[in-house]
Amino acid sequence: MWMAQEKILREYGLPWPDYELLDAGDGKKLERWGQVITIRPEIQANFKSGWPYAQWQTMAHWEFEEQSSTQGRWLNIKPHAPEQWLISYGNVNFSLKLTKFKHVGLFPEQQANWRFIKEQVSAGQKILNLFAYTGAASLVARDNGAEVVHVDSVKQLLTWANENRQRTTAATDILLHAESASPASLWVMPEVEPCMEPLSSSLSDIKWVHEDALKFARRELKRGKQYDGIIMDPPAWGLGAKGEKWKLENHLPGLIETAYGLMNPGAFLMVNTYSPKVELTDLANIAEQYFSAHQLEIKQLWMPTKTGKELYCGNLLRAIK
């Protein structure tokens, strides 16, 4: 039986050339995405920041101001800062944009899981990505040669994910890297242009599915489908493709049970949760019904900042069948 250790294990999402968590604290976080720096609310940043807030504002291009519990607006700090731009991770490109929900189209803490995918996934394997958002994990798996089924209930996110696939080309000259920018040109960036090169053949042929993730997975189980890897980053709450109300704590047991049934021997399951109602012990109690202790990894996911602060980003389950 999994037991909570005196010191809970942590795994860290790490910075890469086009992303850095610069600082966090006082309910906010300061992030660099390529050449664009943002300030966003962060409930887990319940500690004092490393740098004074006045310094943050001299650095940032945009700050998100909450207007309700779910929406807000972006305040422009530096003139001519783009509202849409590109960054990359390895061979994969991401189109980022400002949204009214404070997000820009990428959860950078997932870099910990992209590393795992790069190590675990090989050509020809079948990967199912549920609650797949804008497709980062799908693209990383496809870049390794896997056959990928990408499922999300939000049509706009499927479009965004496919756009990221289209942006992932050999046109590296359109990528703008922070390390090559001078301070004077830091925020002078063009808007994203249409894809200028043919798609990378290794990143074509992802299967896009607009559907409730659990319903699709259950249908796949009835059809006798099997996968070599299943990736899930389910929301704490939300709406399905047909407006169904979703609460993670109600559906997590069914998700893990269904995923287990879809897994080939030796397949991996990776589940992220970011819900105050799902603790590490909840993940463990559900997973132990299907996996033995030596098949399980249960950890917290964290991100380090440039100032030495550390930010909690949710819980992480990995299992091998």
Side-chain angles (χ1 to χ4, degrees), residues 5 33 38 46 64 67 88 103 123-124 159 164 170 178 187 190 193 226 228 257 283-284 288 301 304 306 308 320-321:
Q5 296 114 344
W33 315 81
T38 63
N46 52 3
F64 188 84
Q67 296 177 308
S88 66
H103 300 299
T159 301
N164 283 336
W187 61 88
E193 296 295 332
Q226 296 280 282
D228 302 302
E257 177 186 20
L283 278 176
E288 283 176 345
L301 187 58
K306 190 171 183 178
I320 305 292
K321 187 172 181 180

Side-chain angles (χ1 to χ4, degrees), residues 16-318:
W16 68 92
D18 268 1
Y19 177 81
E20 210 174 4
L21 180 57
L22 298 171
D23 196 11
D26 306 307
K28 299 177 186 289
K29 56 186 175 182
L30 180 71
E31 300 167 279
R32 177 181 62 78
W33 315 81
Q35 298 178 37
V36 177
I37 296 176
T38 63
I39 300 172
R40 297 192 291 164
E42 176 51 66
I43 193 171
Q44 297 296 341
N46 52 3
F47 44 81
K48 184 175 175 57
S49 63
W51 295 328
Y53 182 64
Q55 182 176 342
W56 286 25
Q57 289 196 305
T58 65
M59 300 169 68
H61 303 84
W62 295 97
E63 179 170 5
F64 188 84
E65 179 185 73
E66 291 180 303
Q67 296 177 308
S68 72
S69 60
T70 58
Q71 297 185 25
R73 62 174 182 165
W74 288 91
L75 305 177
N76 181 223
I77 298 175
K78 287 186 168 60
H80 311 299
E83 298 183 23
Q84 184 174 355
W85 67 102
L86 289 177
I87 69 168
S88 66
Y89 177 78
N91 295 330
V92 178
N93 297 344
F94 304 115
S95 175
L96 304 185
K97 60 191 79 171
L98 307 179
T99 75
K100 62 182 178 181
F101 307 109
K102 85 177 179 180
H103 300 299
V104 297
L106 200 64
F107 295 123
E109 69 275 5
Q110 294 300 311
Q111 190 270 350
N113 290 325
W114 306 338
R115 295 196 316 263
F116 178 85
I117 292 168
K118 292 294 288 184
E119 295 166 0
Q120 191 75 21
V121 173
S122 58
Q125 288 188 324
K126 295 182 178 180
I127 303 299
L128 176 61
N129 189 8
L130 302 172
F131 312 96
Y133 195 52
T134 58
S138 296
L139 292 173
V140 172
R142 187 71 188 100
D143 187 45
N144 265 31
E147 299 176 22
V148 178
V149 178
H150 173 112
V151 185
D152 203 284
S153 67
V154 181
K155 195 169 185 178
Q156 296 93 324
L157 293 179
L158 284 172
T159 301
W160 197 337
N162 194 28
E163 179 181 314
N164 283 336
R165 179 185 69 93
Q166 293 169 341
R167 300 293 184 195
T168 301
T169 72
T172 54
D173 57 305
I174 67 172
L175 295 175
L176 298 156
H177 295 286
E179 63 268 23
S180 64
S182 66
S185 65
L186 186 60
W187 61 88
V188 181
M189 297 167 46
E191 294 293 331
V192 174
E193 296 295 332
C195 185
M196 297 193 299
E197 295 282 342
L199 294 178
S200 167
S201 60
S202 67
L203 283 155
S204 61
D205 302 324
I206 291 174
K207 180 179 179 180
W208 309 103
V209 179
H210 177 222
E211 178 59 284
D212 176 90
L214 182 53
K215 288 182 179 179
F216 176 80
R218 283 174 170 164
R219 282 205 304 276
E220 289 286 89
L221 188 59
K222 287 181 180 179
R223 289 188 281 250
K225 295 296 182 67
Q226 296 280 282
Y227 290 90
D228 302 302
I230 299 178
I231 302 164
M232 286 190 247
D233 189 11
W237 60 271
L239 297 175
K242 297 181 180 178
E244 310 94 324
K245 290 185 178 179
W246 167 275
K247 290 185 179 179
L248 178 58
E249 61 271 21
N250 296 337
H251 294 289
L252 188 59
L255 281 168
I256 292 179
E257 177 186 20
T258 305
Y260 181 81
L262 289 169
M263 296 169 70
N264 281 321
F268 71 85
L269 171 64
M270 185 163 62
V271 183
N272 269 113
T273 65
Y274 192 78
S275 168
K277 295 187 178 180
V278 178
E279 302 287 347
L280 284 176
T281 51
D282 299 320
L283 278 176
N285 290 338
I286 298 168
E288 283 176 345
Q289 298 177 47
Y290 308 98
F291 304 96
S292 61
H294 75 274
Q295 295 174 305
L296 283 171
E297 284 186 325
I298 298 175
K299 307 175 179 179
Q300 290 181 337
L301 187 58
W302 290 71
M303 286 284 286
T305 74
K306 190 171 183 178
T307 61
K309 305 290 182 176
E310 295 186 347
L311 184 65
Y312 168 73
C313 300
N315 296 326
L316 174 61
L317 161 70
R318 293 196 189 119

